[in-house]
Amino acid sequence: MDTCRIPENASKCSGNTMECFMVLSTQAQKISIGILCGLFGTMCVFENSLVLYLIFSTPGTRKKPSYLFIGSLALADILASIIFVCSFVNFHVFNKTGFSKEVFLLQLGGVNTSFSASLSSLLLTALDRYISISRPSEYKLLMTRKRAWTALAVLWATCATIAYLPLLGWNCCVLDSTCSELFPFVDDNYLSGWICFTMVLLGCIVYAYAHVLRRARQHVAYMEKHQAQAGKQNTRMRMDVMLAKTLVMVLAVLTLCWSPVLALMIYSIFARLSDHLRKVFAFCSTLCLLNSMVNPIIYALRSKELYSSLRRVLSHFRRQLKASEESPEAESTHKSSVIET
């Protein structure tokens, strides 16, 4: 097992670095975490997979850059759920420590990449909505599919590079520095940098949406004044305002779910965490899964295009189910008529 300088309040762990971070002491706590991760993770994978299917199976949505960004968000949430649930439950519930430092940092990098990509996808979506509302006549020229795919490629590459810096050498074992109290092998300075990166993303999203909401209010006022003569432009504005409001709801949920985790991360850098706070952090981490689970529900309820696609899929499924139920009856009727003949 790799050894490095462990947090002072974890000295009772007798040098076994991994066991110092297993904070769930009772079976009830482990069962609770297991149930939460299993429920949120399963629902998240199912819902976001459905969102991806609805986006890329409908020609009208898969060609739009805004839905490409939403697809990136759904993909990031799926990967985050799978990697987070598997590694988190393995470590905290089943107390598996039979893996190396490199394997742990690989898993942690996967979780950080996915969650960072999820947040960055929201930033791209915010910028897309800002351009769409502030410069509608130039939107199609400025936001092309090629530029959207390029932006997504840069986004994922940047998030992966930052997330895997500990695996590449920026960890407390290689640098012989003090490890974080919340994550094994993670250097406190790296954790500070990752928090700053996350806070910058959140700040940019909030700044972009402040302008989006201001423009949306102006559009609402314009629509009310020129409702009779707006025509197609009126419909376009209604869609932009609806999508902007939808993504603001997504941002609100994201902030509520991530605030406790980020607050405890920041606190751990400047002060020593008690065992109780470390347990609270473990349970607050499941709120990230809750955020990923709620996002698709907001899309289905607020996006008319995705909601229409979902209704078509459900209608097609019901027709197939009805046909399969009626086919045995039809077959038996046909057989009886042949016997009578």
Side-chain angles (χ1 to χ4, degrees), residues 218-239:
Q218 293 174 355
H219 281 185
V220 169
Y222 176 85
M223 287 187 290
E224 291 175 352
K225 190 178 291 185
H226 303 86
Q227 191 169 7
Q229 57 189 21
K232 243 183 184 180
Q233 188 180 5
N234 194 355
T235 304
R236 171 63 183 273
M237 287 182 180
R238 287 182 187 277
M239 291 177 61

PDB file of all heavy atoms in Angstrom, residues 218-239:
ATOM      1  N   GLN A 218     -37.002  41.294 -21.545  1.00  0.00           N
ATOM      2  CA  GLN A 218     -37.247  42.244 -22.627  1.00  0.00           C
ATOM      3  C   GLN A 218     -38.077  41.603 -23.734  1.00  0.00           C
ATOM      4  O   GLN A 218     -38.967  42.233 -24.304  1.00  0.00           O
ATOM      5  CB  GLN A 218     -35.917  42.757 -23.194  1.00  0.00           C
ATOM      6  CG  GLN A 218     -35.132  43.622 -22.215  1.00  0.00           C
ATOM      7  CD  GLN A 218     -33.758  44.000 -22.746  1.00  0.00           C
ATOM      8  OE1 GLN A 218     -33.332  43.544 -23.814  1.00  0.00           O
ATOM      9  NE2 GLN A 218     -33.049  44.837 -21.993  1.00  0.00           N
ATOM     10  N   HIS A 219     -37.793  40.331 -24.036  1.00  0.00           N
ATOM     11  CA  HIS A 219     -38.546  39.635 -25.077  1.00  0.00           C
ATOM     12  C   HIS A 219     -39.994  39.409 -24.659  1.00  0.00           C
ATOM     13  O   HIS A 219     -40.906  39.479 -25.474  1.00  0.00           O
ATOM     14  CB  HIS A 219     -37.871  38.300 -25.397  1.00  0.00           C
ATOM     15  CG  HIS A 219     -36.680  38.441 -26.292  1.00  0.00           C
ATOM     16  ND1 HIS A 219     -35.976  37.371 -26.795  1.00  0.00           N
ATOM     17  CD2 HIS A 219     -36.049  39.539 -26.772  1.00  0.00           C
ATOM     18  CE1 HIS A 219     -34.982  37.791 -27.544  1.00  0.00           C
ATOM     19  NE2 HIS A 219     -35.000  39.111 -27.548  1.00  0.00           N
ATOM     20  N   VAL A 220     -40.193  39.080 -23.385  1.00  0.00           N
ATOM     21  CA  VAL A 220     -41.560  38.887 -22.890  1.00  0.00           C
ATOM     22  C   VAL A 220     -42.354  40.179 -23.035  1.00  0.00           C
ATOM     23  O   VAL A 220     -43.512  40.179 -23.469  1.00  0.00           O
ATOM     24  CB  VAL A 220     -41.536  38.408 -21.423  1.00  0.00           C
ATOM     25  CG1 VAL A 220     -42.938  38.460 -20.823  1.00  0.00           C
ATOM     26  CG2 VAL A 220     -40.981  36.993 -21.337  1.00  0.00           C
ATOM     27  N   ALA A 221     -41.720  41.299 -22.679  1.00  0.00           N
ATOM     28  CA  ALA A 221     -42.400  42.588 -22.811  1.00  0.00           C
ATOM     29  C   ALA A 221     -42.706  42.893 -24.273  1.00  0.00           C
ATOM     30  O   ALA A 221     -43.791  43.404 -24.611  1.00  0.00           O
ATOM     31  CB  ALA A 221     -41.532  43.697 -22.212  1.00  0.00           C
ATOM     32  N   TYR A 222     -41.764  42.557 -25.158  1.00  0.00           N
ATOM     33  CA  TYR A 222     -41.980  42.789 -26.590  1.00  0.00           C
ATOM     34  C   TYR A 222     -43.126  41.936 -27.116  1.00  0.00           C
ATOM     35  O   TYR A 222     -43.965  42.399 -27.898  1.00  0.00           O
ATOM     36  CB  TYR A 222     -40.691  42.473 -27.354  1.00  0.00           C
ATOM     37  CG  TYR A 222     -40.827  42.589 -28.854  1.00  0.00           C
ATOM     38  CD1 TYR A 222     -40.668  43.811 -29.491  1.00  0.00           C
ATOM     39  CD2 TYR A 222     -41.124  41.459 -29.631  1.00  0.00           C
ATOM     40  CE1 TYR A 222     -40.791  43.922 -30.869  1.00  0.00           C
ATOM     41  CE2 TYR A 222     -41.263  41.561 -31.001  1.00  0.00           C
ATOM     42  CZ  TYR A 222     -41.090  42.788 -31.615  1.00  0.00           C
ATOM     43  OH  TYR A 222     -41.224  42.888 -32.981  1.00  0.00           O
ATOM     44  N   MET A 223     -43.183  40.673 -26.693  1.00  0.00           N
ATOM     45  CA  MET A 223     -44.238  39.776 -27.158  1.00  0.00           C
ATOM     46  C   MET A 223     -45.613  40.247 -26.707  1.00  0.00           C
ATOM     47  O   MET A 223     -46.589  40.146 -27.440  1.00  0.00           O
ATOM     48  CB  MET A 223     -43.969  38.345 -26.671  1.00  0.00           C
ATOM     49  CG  MET A 223     -42.832  37.657 -27.407  1.00  0.00           C
ATOM     50  SD  MET A 223     -42.671  35.903 -26.950  1.00  0.00           S
ATOM     51  CE  MET A 223     -42.063  36.043 -25.295  1.00  0.00           C
ATOM     52  N   GLU A 224     -45.687  40.743 -25.491  1.00  0.00           N
ATOM     53  CA  GLU A 224     -46.973  41.227 -25.005  1.00  0.00           C
ATOM     54  C   GLU A 224     -47.440  42.457 -25.764  1.00  0.00           C
ATOM     55  O   GLU A 224     -48.628  42.668 -25.973  1.00  0.00           O
ATOM     56  CB  GLU A 224     -46.866  41.552 -23.501  1.00  0.00           C
ATOM     57  CG  GLU A 224     -46.696  40.314 -22.630  1.00  0.00           C
ATOM     58  CD  GLU A 224     -46.478  40.676 -21.175  1.00  0.00           C
ATOM     59  OE1 GLU A 224     -46.309  41.889 -20.889  1.00  0.00           O
ATOM     60  OE2 GLU A 224     -46.483  39.761 -20.331  1.00  0.00           O
ATOM     61  N   LYS A 225     -46.489  43.273 -26.214  1.00  0.00           N
ATOM     62  CA  LYS A 225     -46.841  44.500 -26.920  1.00  0.00           C
ATOM     63  C   LYS A 225     -47.155  44.253 -28.389  1.00  0.00           C
ATOM     64  O   LYS A 225     -47.997  44.922 -28.986  1.00  0.00           O
ATOM     65  CB  LYS A 225     -45.687  45.495 -26.815  1.00  0.00           C
ATOM     66  CG  LYS A 225     -46.025  46.903 -27.303  1.00  0.00           C
ATOM     67  CD  LYS A 225     -44.838  47.840 -27.116  1.00  0.00           C
ATOM     68  CE  LYS A 225     -44.594  48.091 -25.642  1.00  0.00           C
ATOM     69  NZ  LYS A 225     -43.509  49.103 -25.426  1.00  0.00           N
ATOM     70  N   HIS A 226     -46.481  43.281 -29.011  1.00  0.00           N
ATOM     71  CA  HIS A 226     -46.644  43.029 -30.453  1.00  0.00           C
ATOM     72  C   HIS A 226     -47.159  41.619 -30.713  1.00  0.00           C
ATOM     73  O   HIS A 226     -46.800  40.992 -31.706  1.00  0.00           O
ATOM     74  CB  HIS A 226     -45.311  43.222 -31.177  1.00  0.00           C
ATOM     75  CG  HIS A 226     -44.715  44.580 -30.979  1.00  0.00           C
ATOM     76  ND1 HIS A 226     -43.915  44.872 -29.902  1.00  0.00           N
ATOM     77  CD2 HIS A 226     -44.816  45.720 -31.722  1.00  0.00           C
ATOM     78  CE1 HIS A 226     -43.524  46.146 -29.984  1.00  0.00           C
ATOM     79  NE2 HIS A 226     -44.060  46.675 -31.075  1.00  0.00           N
ATOM     80  N   GLN A 227     -47.988  41.090 -29.843  1.00  0.00           N
ATOM     81  CA  GLN A 227     -48.437  39.704 -29.959  1.00  0.00           C
ATOM     82  C   GLN A 227     -49.197  39.449 -31.256  1.00  0.00           C
ATOM     83  O   GLN A 227     -49.076  38.393 -31.861  1.00  0.00           O
ATOM     84  CB  GLN A 227     -49.329  39.337 -28.769  1.00  0.00           C
ATOM     85  CG  GLN A 227     -49.621  37.849 -28.690  1.00  0.00           C
ATOM     86  CD  GLN A 227     -50.262  37.479 -27.367  1.00  0.00           C
ATOM     87  OE1 GLN A 227     -50.599  38.349 -26.583  1.00  0.00           O
ATOM     88  NE2 GLN A 227     -50.420  36.201 -27.135  1.00  0.00           N
ATOM     89  N   ALA A 228     -49.954  40.384 -31.701  1.00  0.00           N
ATOM     90  CA  ALA A 228     -50.790  40.162 -32.885  1.00  0.00           C
ATOM     91  C   ALA A 228     -49.990  40.094 -34.161  1.00  0.00           C
ATOM     92  O   ALA A 228     -50.357  39.387 -35.095  1.00  0.00           O
ATOM     93  CB  ALA A 228     -51.833  41.278 -32.992  1.00  0.00           C
ATOM     94  N   GLN A 229     -48.854  40.813 -34.240  1.00  0.00           N
ATOM     95  CA  GLN A 229     -48.130  40.894 -35.504  1.00  0.00           C
ATOM     96  C   GLN A 229     -46.780  40.185 -35.487  1.00  0.00           C
ATOM     97  O   GLN A 229     -46.050  40.226 -36.468  1.00  0.00           O
ATOM     98  CB  GLN A 229     -47.891  42.376 -35.851  1.00  0.00           C
ATOM     99  CG  GLN A 229     -47.129  43.118 -34.765  1.00  0.00           C
ATOM    100  CD  GLN A 229     -47.096  44.610 -35.039  1.00  0.00           C
ATOM    101  OE1 GLN A 229     -47.927  45.126 -35.786  1.00  0.00           O
ATOM    102  NE2 GLN A 229     -46.133  45.292 -34.450  1.00  0.00           N
ATOM    103  N   ALA A 230     -46.449  39.537 -34.385  1.00  0.00           N
ATOM    104  CA  ALA A 230     -45.112  38.948 -34.300  1.00  0.00           C
ATOM    105  C   ALA A 230     -44.945  37.725 -35.177  1.00  0.00           C
ATOM    106  O   ALA A 230     -43.892  37.500 -35.745  1.00  0.00           O
ATOM    107  CB  ALA A 230     -44.792  38.595 -32.855  1.00  0.00           C
ATOM    108  N   GLY A 231     -45.957  36.860 -35.265  1.00  0.00           N
ATOM    109  CA  GLY A 231     -45.899  35.691 -36.141  1.00  0.00           C
ATOM    110  C   GLY A 231     -44.831  34.706 -35.766  1.00  0.00           C
ATOM    111  O   GLY A 231     -44.681  34.306 -34.618  1.00  0.00           O
ATOM    112  N   LYS A 232     -44.011  34.316 -36.784  1.00  0.00           N
ATOM    113  CA  LYS A 232     -42.977  33.299 -36.577  1.00  0.00           C
ATOM    114  C   LYS A 232     -41.924  33.744 -35.576  1.00  0.00           C
ATOM    115  O   LYS A 232     -41.440  32.974 -34.761  1.00  0.00           O
ATOM    116  CB  LYS A 232     -42.294  32.980 -37.915  1.00  0.00           C
ATOM    117  CG  LYS A 232     -42.494  31.555 -38.369  1.00  0.00           C
ATOM    118  CD  LYS A 232     -41.719  31.336 -39.636  1.00  0.00           C
ATOM    119  CE  LYS A 232     -41.999  29.937 -40.153  1.00  0.00           C
ATOM    120  NZ  LYS A 232     -41.260  29.669 -41.386  1.00  0.00           N
ATOM    121  N   GLN A 233     -41.573  35.024 -35.652  1.00  0.00           N
ATOM    122  CA  GLN A 233     -40.558  35.531 -34.736  1.00  0.00           C
ATOM    123  C   GLN A 233     -41.036  35.421 -33.295  1.00  0.00           C
ATOM    124  O   GLN A 233     -40.276  35.129 -32.378  1.00  0.00           O
ATOM    125  CB  GLN A 233     -40.254  36.994 -35.074  1.00  0.00           C
ATOM    126  CG  GLN A 233     -39.070  37.549 -34.280  1.00  0.00           C
ATOM    127  CD  GLN A 233     -38.796  38.990 -34.636  1.00  0.00           C
ATOM    128  OE1 GLN A 233     -39.543  39.597 -35.402  1.00  0.00           O
ATOM    129  NE2 GLN A 233     -37.733  39.544 -34.085  1.00  0.00           N
ATOM    130  N   ASN A 234     -42.342  35.641 -33.109  1.00  0.00           N
ATOM    131  CA  ASN A 234     -42.934  35.513 -31.781  1.00  0.00           C
ATOM    132  C   ASN A 234     -42.765  34.095 -31.244  1.00  0.00           C
ATOM    133  O   ASN A 234     -42.383  33.882 -30.095  1.00  0.00           O
ATOM    134  CB  ASN A 234     -44.416  35.881 -31.859  1.00  0.00           C
ATOM    135  CG  ASN A 234     -45.023  36.092 -30.482  1.00  0.00           C
ATOM    136  OD1 ASN A 234     -44.374  35.888 -29.478  1.00  0.00           O
ATOM    137  ND2 ASN A 234     -46.269  36.495 -30.464  1.00  0.00           N
ATOM    138  N   THR A 235     -43.043  33.095 -32.114  1.00  0.00           N
ATOM    139  CA  THR A 235     -42.900  31.698 -31.713  1.00  0.00           C
ATOM    140  C   THR A 235     -41.460  31.371 -31.353  1.00  0.00           C
ATOM    141  O   THR A 235     -41.183  30.689 -30.368  1.00  0.00           O
ATOM    142  CB  THR A 235     -43.374  30.772 -32.851  1.00  0.00           C
ATOM    143  OG1 THR A 235     -44.705  31.118 -33.196  1.00  0.00           O
ATOM    144  CG2 THR A 235     -43.314  29.320 -32.433  1.00  0.00           C
ATOM    145  N   ARG A 236     -40.517  31.863 -32.161  1.00  0.00           N
ATOM    146  CA  ARG A 236     -39.090  31.638 -31.895  1.00  0.00           C
ATOM    147  C   ARG A 236     -38.686  32.226 -30.539  1.00  0.00           C
ATOM    148  O   ARG A 236     -37.964  31.611 -29.753  1.00  0.00           O
ATOM    149  CB  ARG A 236     -38.254  32.249 -33.016  1.00  0.00           C
ATOM    150  CG  ARG A 236     -36.750  32.271 -32.756  1.00  0.00           C
ATOM    151  CD  ARG A 236     -36.199  30.849 -32.618  1.00  0.00           C
ATOM    152  NE  ARG A 236     -34.798  30.873 -32.313  1.00  0.00           N
ATOM    153  CZ  ARG A 236     -33.825  30.938 -33.227  1.00  0.00           C
ATOM    154  NH1 ARG A 236     -34.136  30.974 -34.512  1.00  0.00           N
ATOM    155  NH2 ARG A 236     -32.569  30.941 -32.877  1.00  0.00           N
ATOM    156  N   MET A 237     -39.183  33.442 -30.266  1.00  0.00           N
ATOM    157  CA  MET A 237     -38.844  34.076 -28.997  1.00  0.00           C
ATOM    158  C   MET A 237     -39.412  33.303 -27.821  1.00  0.00           C
ATOM    159  O   MET A 237     -38.766  33.150 -26.787  1.00  0.00           O
ATOM    160  CB  MET A 237     -39.363  35.517 -28.976  1.00  0.00           C
ATOM    161  CG  MET A 237     -38.576  36.478 -29.846  1.00  0.00           C
ATOM    162  SD  MET A 237     -39.233  38.147 -29.716  1.00  0.00           S
ATOM    163  CE  MET A 237     -38.130  39.024 -30.802  1.00  0.00           C
ATOM    164  N   ARG A 238     -40.647  32.788 -27.984  1.00  0.00           N
ATOM    165  CA  ARG A 238     -41.258  32.004 -26.913  1.00  0.00           C
ATOM    166  C   ARG A 238     -40.415  30.771 -26.601  1.00  0.00           C
ATOM    167  O   ARG A 238     -40.226  30.420 -25.443  1.00  0.00           O
ATOM    168  CB  ARG A 238     -42.682  31.584 -27.306  1.00  0.00           C
ATOM    169  CG  ARG A 238     -43.693  32.711 -27.274  1.00  0.00           C
ATOM    170  CD  ARG A 238     -45.083  32.188 -27.636  1.00  0.00           C
ATOM    171  NE  ARG A 238     -46.035  33.259 -27.765  1.00  0.00           N
ATOM    172  CZ  ARG A 238     -46.684  33.815 -26.746  1.00  0.00           C
ATOM    173  NH1 ARG A 238     -46.459  33.401 -25.526  1.00  0.00           N
ATOM    174  NH2 ARG A 238     -47.549  34.801 -26.950  1.00  0.00           N
ATOM    175  N   MET A 239     -39.900  30.108 -27.653  1.00  0.00           N
ATOM    176  CA  MET A 239     -39.065  28.917 -27.449  1.00  0.00           C
ATOM    177  C   MET A 239     -37.775  29.283 -26.731  1.00  0.00           C
ATOM    178  O   MET A 239     -37.311  28.577 -25.835  1.00  0.00           O
ATOM    179  CB  MET A 239     -38.772  28.244 -28.787  1.00  0.00           C
ATOM    180  CG  MET A 239     -39.969  27.591 -29.431  1.00  0.00           C
ATOM    181  SD  MET A 239     -39.581  26.894 -31.041  1.00  0.00           S
ATOM    182  CE  MET A 239     -38.337  25.707 -30.599  1.00  0.00           C
TER     183      MET A 239
END
